[in-house]
Amino acid sequence: MHRRLIVRFVAVAALLVLALALPLGWMFARSIRTNATDAIEDEASAIAISIEQAVEGGQQFDVVSIRRDTTRSTVRLTDAQGRLVRGEPLPPDLQIAVELVLTERPLTARIHTDGDTISAIALASTDERIDGAVVVTQSGEETERTVRLGWLVLAMVSAGVLGVAAGVARQLAAWIAQPLDELGESVARFGDGDLTERVTPHEWPPDIEYLGSAFNEMADRIERLVDQNESFVHEASHQLRTPLTGLRLRLENLAAEAEPGGAAELQQATAEVDRLSRLTSGLLSLARAERHSGPPAEPVDVVAMADEVAAQWHALGDEYGIEVHAEHASGARPLRALAARDRLTQVLDNVVANAFDASDPGTSVVLRTGLGTSGEIVVEVVDEGHGMSDDERTRAFERFWTGGRIAGAPDPDTGARLGGTGLGLPIAARLLRRDGATIELHPGPSGRGTLVRISLRSC
């Protein structure tokens, strides 16, 4: 914006300078040429009058003595028939012009131009007779040199004015653009989730200062609303945990004493309680993920983190008959990504949990690390579960979308635990977005299961 403002200010100044300089230069050139022509006319007329006075008084006349400037022009004299009396021969076109003047007998001198020369033709005559003509010729080179010098000076002055205008435009653009840049950066950070972002609109232009104050007021209102919403979700989640925990204990006690037919129903009820517990925890995590708080991004060893996450899930994998391990395409070389360790750990846990929900006993969940095609750090979680259709992969990042499956409920054909709360992937996407990372879903490499690709910034 700063550069655009400077360009526009200078463009306007250039148009104004041209609008003033061009007419001024044209008027100057015209004035110089007119003055030169008038000087030649005056000289020719003065010589003609002097000749006529000398003739009437019967005296001899000397052209050199009556010329005002013997260095800038030449003088030729003709008789009444146009024959040359003094000076160099006349060019044909100038000879014709002299004969025309002798015939028409104009009251004032006439101007004749021929290429780079200017000639003034004046009659030496009285009312009764014509004694001859005076032809004063001067080169126009000096006049044109003066005109060019005037244009050069005008161009230099215009360039100086434009330079001053550019300096003023730079200061003015900085005065206008810097607050707008600061406001734009603050709006971007606020839009990314940093609800504490504010601007300090002191010494800004009045209109922009008003805009900054309006932004601060809007940000205050939005932050209050989000805080109230987060507080409600936080309190509701905590309030629900205690009765859900108590309800689950009661169901477990009843299941221990129930008949075989009722035990299955109690197991389903316990699964529903587990789902509600996970849902409340997910709501709380989602509310936290929406805020731009938490630790800043820092270099993280992705290889080591993948090994840690695989080790943490290994015991649960043994319990459900699912093998969990990590593979590293880069060998022993560490891969360092720019991310917050806690957020990335939470994302990997959510993705691995989803992979467990979709996997059958006897299958595996693999965490793979490597480099992407553009130099980014890639972490992939691959399972061998039931997989997802194209439409399911598209909708998987919608809140509360579970594909029609309920957490903890066994699939009637395979017995696998399917579905979830529908919050794991939305939470993961929001956490990754805060670190400039992305998450994508793809079909499994063997045609089975799902491949979750996380792309992180390299450092």
Side-chain angles (χ1 to χ4, degrees):
M1 177 179 291
H2 186 272
R3 182 177 300 176
R4 291 197 301 271
L5 286 175
I6 292 178
V7 170
R8 290 174 183 176
F9 285 148
V10 173
V12 172
L15 290 176
L16 292 176
V17 168
L18 287 176
L20 294 175
L22 291 179
L24 183 62
W26 180 80
M27 293 175 61
F28 172 79
R30 181 181 180 183
S31 174
I32 293 297
R33 294 188 178 104
T34 300
N35 290 339
T37 302
D38 291 344
I40 297 175
E41 289 181 351
D42 292 344
E43 185 173 1
S45 298
I47 294 174
I49 292 172
S50 298
I51 292 174
E52 185 62 33
Q53 291 175 350
V55 170
E56 290 180 352
Q59 301 174 355
Q60 296 291 328
F61 62 91
D62 184 2
V63 174
V64 174
S65 65
I66 62 177
R67 292 182 63 199
R68 295 175 299 172
D69 187 350
T70 61
T71 61
R72 298 181 57 185
S73 60
T74 59
V75 177
R76 299 181 179 92
L77 302 179
T78 69
D79 58 15
Q81 286 73 39
R83 293 186 294 269
L84 186 68
V85 176
R86 182 185 183 279
E88 299 177 355
L90 295 171
D93 57 340
L94 186 57
Q95 178 68 46
I96 296 174
V98 170
E99 294 174 357
L100 186 62
V101 169
L102 291 171
T103 301
E104 295 181 354
R105 302 181 65 178
L107 298 178
T108 58
R110 282 193 176 179
I111 298 297
H112 175 77
T113 58
D114 180 17
D116 295 334
T117 62
I118 303 175
S119 301
I121 306 170
L123 287 177
S125 63
T126 62
D127 294 338
E128 294 80 11
R129 70 178 187 278
I130 296 176
D131 296 321
V134 178
V135 181
V136 179
T137 302
Q138 179 175 312
S139 174
E141 181 179 355
E142 185 175 351
T143 301
E144 294 304 317
R145 187 184 302 114
T146 303
V147 171
R148 289 194 297 271
L149 180 61
W151 278 110
L152 179 61
V153 172
L154 187 61
M156 294 175 63
V157 172
S158 300
V161 172
L162 285 179
V164 173
V168 174
R170 184 175 181 180
Q171 297 296 326
L172 186 61
W175 184 56
I176 296 175
Q178 183 176 356
L180 290 176
D181 291 340
E182 294 178 5
L183 182 60
E185 292 173 359
S186 296
V187 170
R189 286 192 290 268
F190 188 85
D192 288 338
D194 186 4
L195 301 185
T196 62
E197 180 65 27
R198 298 294 186 276
V199 296
T200 307
H202 298 308
E203 300 182 358
W204 285 9
D207 292 338
I208 303 179
E209 182 177 353
Y210 171 77
L211 187 61
S213 300
F215 166 76
N216 287 340
E217 294 177 2
M218 177 201 69
D220 289 338
R221 290 195 296 268
I222 293 178
E223 186 178 20
R224 284 196 299 269
L225 291 174
V226 173
D227 285 341
Q228 293 172 1
N229 179 69
E230 182 181 1
S231 177
F232 170 77
V233 173
H234 188 275
E235 293 175 1
S237 298
H238 279 287
Q239 292 295 328
L240 287 172
R241 282 181 177 178
T242 300
L244 287 174
T245 302
L247 180 59
R248 192 180 195 286
L249 292 175
R250 289 174 180 271
L251 291 174
E252 289 178 351
N253 292 333
L254 290 174
E257 301 175 358
E259 297 293 333
E265 295 293 334
L266 290 173
Q267 183 180 1
Q268 291 292 332
T270 303
E272 287 293 333
V273 172
D274 289 340
R275 177 177 180 273
L276 287 174
S277 297
R278 292 174 61 186
L279 184 60
T280 55
S281 298
L283 286 173
L284 183 57
S285 299
L286 183 62
R288 291 171 177 169
E290 295 287 355
R291 296 298 302 270
H292 195 76
S293 57
E298 59 183 3
V300 176
D301 187 346
V302 175
V303 172
M305 177 171 289
D307 289 335
E308 292 174 6
V309 172
Q312 291 172 359
W313 284 86
H314 186 74
L316 187 61
D318 290 341
E319 180 180 347
Y320 287 106
I322 300 174
E323 180 186 358
V324 183
H325 65 277
E327 296 178 357
H328 310 297
S330 59
R333 186 173 69 87
L335 297 174
R336 302 183 69 81
L338 194 62
R341 176 177 294 273
D342 292 342
R343 288 197 289 266
L344 184 55
T345 301
Q346 183 178 351
V347 168
L348 291 177
D349 284 337
N350 282 351
V351 174
V352 173
N354 286 344
F356 263 66
D357 283 338
S359 298
D360 300 332
T363 60
S364 63
V365 174
V366 183
L367 285 82
R368 303 191 308 200
T369 63
L371 284 174
T373 56
S374 301
E376 73 277 13
I377 305 299
V378 175
V379 182
E380 296 178 342
V381 179
V382 185
D383 64 65
E384 299 175 343
H386 51 80
M388 304 175 70
S389 65
D390 292 339
D391 181 64
E392 288 176 329
R393 284 193 296 272
T394 301
R395 300 190 59 190
F397 293 97
E398 298 178 6
R399 297 179 185 179
F400 305 110
W401 186 83
T402 62
R405 303 182 179 98
I406 299 176
D411 185 276
D413 298 325
T414 64
R417 296 159 311 284
L418 304 176
T421 62
L423 294 175
L425 288 177
I427 292 173
R430 282 160 178 76
L431 291 175
L432 289 172
R433 190 181 303 126
R434 287 161 57 179
D435 290 331
T438 59
I439 181 171
E440 301 172 347
L441 300 181
H442 300 276
S446 61
R448 297 180 53 197
T450 302
L451 184 150
V452 181
R453 177 176 293 122
I454 299 171
S455 300
L456 303 162
R457 291 181 294 167
S458 177
C459 63

